[in-house]
Amino acid sequence: MAEGLPAALLTGGPDEMVSGHGRIRPHWRAVMGATGGLGRPALAERAERLARAMLDEGVASILPGAGGAGLWRLDPLPLPLDGAEFEALAEAVAQRARLLEAVLADLYGPQELLAEGLIPAPLVFGSPAFVRAARRHNAPPRRPLLHLYAVDLLRGPDGAWAVLQDRTGVASGLGQLRENRRLLGAAMPEAMRAGQPRSINPFFELWQEALGRLAPHHKPDPAVALLSPGTADPHWFEHVVLSRELGCALVEPGDLTVRGGGLFLKTLAGLQPVDVVLSRLDAAALDPLDQPEADAAAGVPGILDAVRHGALGFLNAPGAALAEAPALPAFLPALAPRLLGEALRLPSLPTRWLRAGEAPPPLPEGYLAWAFRPAGQGAAAESFAPPAAAPPSGLAAIALPCLSLAPALEGGALAPTPLVLRLFAVSDGQGWQVLPGGLARLVTPGARLTGRLPGGGWCKDVWVPADPSEAIIGPAAQSAPPLAIRRTPAAIPSRVADNLFWLGRYVERLDRAARLLRAAMSRLRRGAPLPRELAELSALVTCLIEAQLLEAEARVSAGSLAPLAQSLQRTARPAVRGLLDRIGALVESVRDRLTADMHATFTQTLRAAEEALDNAAPELPELSRALIPSLRFATALAGVASENMVRGGARLFLELGRRVERAQAVAGEVAVALDAPPARIEAGLRLVLELCDSVITYRSRYLGVLQPAPALDLVLADAANPRGLAFQLQAIRDALADVSGDAEDAGAREAARLLALAEDVPLRLLAARDQAQEAARLPPMLRQMAQDLGALSDLVSRRYFALLPPARAVGVDMGEAAVIEA
């Protein structure tokens, strides 16, 4: 955040809506006529609708539980641009993009501009954005160096737009813009019909086609990936949106590996080649082999080598952020005739390069303040006083005018608000295409003007009115050979399968926690318990302690249950809240595998569970009721996944995680419930039926007679009971066979072995002389089954997520022990 943003910059600037004669500009009239007809209450309701939609669909916030600070807000009034003014801007933006790419080609190639003194050497070699490993000394750099370009604009004192900063490294905002247009169309259809903005869909279609043409050796069916830092990045939502719009895989550095000079994606089916990467990573973090300062865990070792040898199309090129140097605009007017043979059409705000210790010159007429930025560091925001110690590359002093104003809805009323306009352009191989629209960032006190696009703020959708006579340019029709039919369940990245597997496990842990806690709380509310209820409560406490939901010192005492109630009040809320937080992070990590409706269902039910828990009073009845939304969330996730996810790798691993966790829970809880003298086995059986949600089914089958064999048949051996052990084991066996494509897969065989053990339990009980005594002998076997399920989970992780070969025993000598080789 910029400190000390002069208040004079935010007031008194030119009005985007009203002309100097006090009249609404023509391109604003349709929009203001439509919105003015709504009235203030209706307009405020539309703004509230937009805010809810952005929150529910994840546009405003990454994680379902994120707070209100730092979120994106979308103003219900768009910012229309005059059509003729935009066309002139688009031509100038395209020219500026060509100029910056030519500058980059020289600086990473022959460096003639440095030799001629047209660019100071400290501005290049003192910049952290200069990637020395990307320079080609004996050949021109591979094109394109610049593929996606964004530019931030302010109106100067003369009323013309001028460049505040160029974005040539990681140009953010296109995903936000795409969602702004979609949401505004739904919330403000009257304004959309009246304003008739030009469609932005052709821009994304052209971009998708251009990415495919940039594959090395003109590969006919290239694999394109969008490389993201992951869910911790404030622009993760944008990465999800862009990967869907462009039809490319969304990957993180850990998903990729370099083998034989090429880049590959690690999937369950093995390594899949990647031909083109659209990077959202800073160049300094790309390759720890070429960049000693890079974090080895955050980059892809060897990726720059693949780029250098032409095996990978990488966009924007490593080191393209060098053109963002804040002092470079001071030299562009002289570089344009030298490199393009024409004058610069889109000027920058007046910029001066200051060497260390040099004072800024007087402000040009019409400008109010100098903003100072490190001359070679485009990611840094501005300050309004020169720092005590200037960086080696010096400082860039940028003259700022009053920011132009546009009406925005704040506090239920329209108020003039300053803005920064961001436009986007992409190279399609023949030229630069400028998106007909943009992102207007509204500037509030304390906000920053320059640097990277923040993770949150206040914005407007920018419209360019459609011209009925103008032809809409889209991608040309492409002839392609017929695609082979693919139904491979293992064609997903290993990281995604890992996250889905653990999402399933944590959802089941949440479901188990809620059921166990509610069962214990309901018994504590009944007052003095009967001996049978005391036995059930004792078993429940053991289950809660093993699930780490209760303190290990908590125990049931016939004298007083108050200490147990107090322990539950202390531990229940934080334990369940921790599970909800972990689930929220996992839901976001697989966002690209969820449809918008699925994601909205997950986040809305998850947020309801969090709010209920956070707002509940500490008394046990209130806490018990607050756990109901957590059970509903688990049910919603299971139902939506069952109905909306294709029976492929993503759903298989989500289901596999759920089934492994539930199988372990059932085996462990039945073992605890049966771990009692045979004479008291009935209390354990009642608890088992309750925890497995099987009481009604048992009564319908056997009326009121409770015996071990039929009860344990229902919860352990009946494959038709979705809460029973056999159902889980059968689902695990089938899922592992589907993923591996081999019914004799080692994991599937292990699940089948455990299933046979479970199915044998009622037969053992029926054959026994005393079923109660035989049931009391089951806990050791059930605990061993739970341990074996844990080992099976480790086997799945090792084989599919870590991509390690299976362990095998290698005989060293006939008389020596075998050595386990990983």
Side-chain angles (χ1 to χ4, degrees):
M1 181 182 296
E3 295 182 1
L5 185 67
L9 297 177
L10 306 181
T11 57
D15 196 317
E16 293 289 335
M17 183 180 73
V18 180
S19 70
H21 302 289
R23 298 178 180 176
I24 294 180
R25 300 181 192 275
H27 55 281
W28 274 90
R29 289 172 186 166
V31 171
M32 293 308 296
T35 56
L38 291 174
R40 183 178 295 183
L43 195 58
E45 188 275 331
R46 300 297 177 86
E48 178 63 25
R49 186 190 305 177
L50 271 175
R52 286 198 307 270
M54 293 186 78
L55 199 61
D56 289 341
E57 299 182 30
V59 183
S61 163
I62 293 178
L63 300 179
L71 306 184
W72 275 109
R73 284 193 297 155
L74 175 60
D75 191 70
L77 269 71
L79 174 69
L81 294 178
D82 178 73
E85 182 181 43
F86 172 78
E87 291 303 327
L89 263 180
E91 292 180 5
V93 167
Q95 185 215 41
R96 193 174 178 100
R98 288 189 290 115
L99 173 60
L100 293 176
E101 186 180 18
V103 169
L104 288 170
D106 179 81
L107 295 179
Y108 284 107
Q111 296 188 340
E112 294 176 356
L113 299 178
L114 293 176
E116 297 172 17
L118 294 175
I119 296 179
L123 197 60
V124 176
F125 300 119
S127 171
F130 182 60
V131 179
R132 286 165 173 77
R135 190 185 173 207
R136 293 167 61 86
H137 296 270
N138 300 320
R142 297 186 183 276
R143 296 293 187 100
L145 294 175
L146 190 59
H147 170 74
L148 175 64
Y149 169 62
V151 59
D152 287 344
L153 303 170
L154 298 178
R155 281 202 189 272
D158 59 354
W161 292 101
V163 174
L164 171 66
Q165 66 176 355
D166 300 289
R167 304 305 293 173
T168 59
V170 178
S172 301
L174 273 168
Q176 182 72 52
L177 183 156
R178 188 72 184 86
E179 289 302 288
N180 285 352
R181 182 63 58 90
R182 180 180 66 83
L183 293 174
L184 202 60
M188 299 287 292
E190 304 90 349
M192 187 72 73
R193 287 193 296 269
Q196 296 185 338
R198 282 175 56 181
S199 172
I200 59 177
N201 292 334
F203 176 87
F204 287 95
E205 293 168 0
L206 284 166
W207 189 9
Q208 182 180 20
E209 184 189 18
L211 285 171
R213 289 202 302 265
L214 293 171
H217 314 300
H218 304 290
K219 190 174 179 180
D221 186 19
V224 182
L226 189 149
L227 179 57
S228 167
T231 57
D233 189 87
H235 299 292
W236 164 252
F237 170 77
E238 173 176 341
H239 305 163
V240 174
V241 172
L242 289 183
S243 67
R244 288 179 178 170
E245 288 293 325
L246 301 175
C248 59
L250 179 60
V251 301
E252 297 179 19
D255 298 331
L256 303 174
T257 185
V258 175
R259 303 286 175 86
L263 186 67
F264 293 85
L265 173 64
K266 294 181 281 190
T267 74
L268 302 179
L271 299 179
Q272 304 294 329
V274 176
D275 304 297
V276 179
V277 168
L278 180 63
S279 177
R280 305 281 88 187
L281 260 66
D282 287 336
L286 278 175
D287 192 341
L289 295 184
D290 272 311
Q291 300 158 293
E293 69 279 3
D295 181 0
V300 184
I303 192 170
L304 288 182
D305 189 62
V307 174
R308 275 194 298 269
H309 290 88
L312 176 68
F314 194 93
L315 310 163
N316 285 334
L322 180 62
E324 296 179 1
L328 183 62
F331 306 96
L332 291 182
L335 294 174
R338 165 71 171 76
L339 296 173
L340 302 181
E342 54 194 47
L344 185 64
R345 299 183 191 175
L346 183 59
S348 302
L349 296 171
T351 304
R352 302 290 184 269
W353 177 52
L354 308 178
R355 296 174 177 83
E358 186 176 350
L363 277 165
E365 184 178 355
Y367 292 86
L368 300 181
W370 286 111
F372 300 95
R373 303 178 67 196
Q377 192 172 346
E382 74 281 350
S383 63
F384 292 91
S393 59
L395 290 174
I398 305 163
L400 297 178
C402 283
L403 277 63
S404 59
L405 307 173
L409 190 67
E410 180 73 0
L414 294 178
T417 308
L419 61 89
V420 176
L421 173 64
R422 176 166 287 197
L423 299 181
F424 300 88
V426 69
S427 172
D428 63 1
Q430 284 81 38
W432 285 87
Q433 304 296 328
V434 179
L435 184 142
L439 181 70
R441 184 161 56 90
L442 300 177
V443 182
T444 54
R448 68 190 189 196
L449 294 180
T450 58
R452 292 174 176 153
L453 190 71
W458 191 15
C459 60
K460 281 179 174 288
D461 188 25
V462 178
W463 290 2
V464 177
D467 183 352
S469 65
E470 183 180 27
I472 298 177
I473 301 175
Q478 298 289 321
S479 60
L483 296 175
I485 302 299
R486 299 171 184 168
R487 294 180 182 174
T488 52
I492 61 172
S494 301
R495 172 190 52 82
V496 173
D498 189 4
N499 288 335
L500 285 163
F501 179 76
W502 282 103
L503 174 60
R505 294 203 65 169
Y506 273 99
V507 168
E508 282 302 312
R509 288 182 188 180
L510 175 67
D511 182 85
R512 178 194 187 194
R515 290 176 184 276
L516 287 173
L517 288 167
R518 282 174 54 80
M521 291 174 183
S522 68
R523 284 164 173 79
L524 287 173
R525 295 201 309 268
R526 295 172 188 170
L530 299 172
R532 172 179 62 81
E533 293 175 332
L534 204 61
E536 293 175 3
L537 188 56
S538 180
L540 277 170
V541 167
T542 302
C543 291
L544 286 166
I545 292 172
E546 291 184 357
Q548 299 181 347
L549 297 167
L550 199 57
E551 299 156 339
E553 297 79 13
R555 287 290 180 263
V556 176
S557 170
S560 174
L561 296 178
L564 176 59
Q566 292 168 2
S567 182
L568 279 171
Q569 288 175 324
R570 284 194 304 271
T571 61
R573 194 195 310 264
V576 176
R577 194 60 167 85
L579 291 172
L580 291 170
D581 290 343
R582 182 64 180 139
I583 289 169
L586 286 167
V587 166
E588 197 57 38
S589 73
V590 297
R591 175 72 178 273
D592 58 315
R593 301 286 157 172
L594 306 176
T595 65
D597 289 339
M598 290 173 65
H599 184 266
T601 300
F602 291 171
T603 53
Q604 288 174 26
T605 52
L606 186 58
R607 191 176 295 118
E610 292 170 337
E611 291 173 354
L613 197 64
D614 293 343
N615 298 330
E619 290 76 18
L620 291 184
E622 292 297 320
L623 283 175
S624 181
R625 279 192 291 271
L627 291 170
I628 294 175
S630 293
L631 292 171
R632 289 174 180 164
F633 165 74
T635 302
L637 185 142
V640 171
S642 176
E643 294 298 320
N644 293 70
M645 296 182 77
V646 175
R647 268 56 174 173
R651 184 178 180 275
L652 278 175
F653 277 91
L654 179 64
E655 279 294 290
L656 189 58
R658 292 181 60 225
R659 300 309 168 192
V660 167
E661 189 68 30
R662 187 178 292 181
Q664 276 191 300
V666 172
E669 289 165 6
V670 174
V672 171
L674 298 181
D675 200 1
R680 296 164 55 187
I681 203 73
E682 184 176 333
L685 295 176
R686 292 182 188 278
L687 179 60
V688 160
L689 291 173
E690 178 184 346
L691 293 179
C692 292
D693 210 6
S694 302
V695 173
I696 294 175
T697 302
Y698 186 87
R699 286 176 179 169
S700 67
R701 289 182 181 180
Y702 305 107
L703 300 178
V705 180
L706 183 59
Q707 292 182 0
L712 294 179
D713 172 72
L714 180 57
V715 299
L716 295 180
D718 188 347
N721 181 6
R723 288 278 167 186
L725 180 60
F727 184 95
Q728 320 310 320
L729 294 171
Q730 191 176 82
I732 294 168
R733 179 197 64 190
D734 295 344
L736 290 175
D738 286 346
V739 171
S740 65
D742 180 10
E744 295 302 314
D745 172 76
R749 288 202 312 271
E750 175 64 5
R753 181 186 72 82
L754 295 174
L755 177 60
L757 288 176
E759 291 174 338
D760 187 56
V761 168
L763 301 178
R764 287 176 54 183
L765 294 172
L766 289 171
R769 180 175 300 176
D770 188 328
Q771 289 189 17
Q773 287 186 353
E774 187 65 26
R777 298 189 185 102
L778 291 176
M781 183 197 77
L782 292 169
R783 289 192 174 94
Q784 184 60 49
M785 291 179 72
Q787 291 180 17
D788 293 343
L789 284 161
L792 180 60
S793 175
D794 293 341
L795 175 66
V796 169
S797 296
R798 179 185 179 86
R799 177 171 179 181
Y800 294 109
F801 311 147
L803 296 183
L804 296 175
R808 60 184 183 275
V810 180
V812 178
D813 194 12
M814 291 298 292
E816 297 180 2
V819 176
I820 302 300
E821 179 184 74

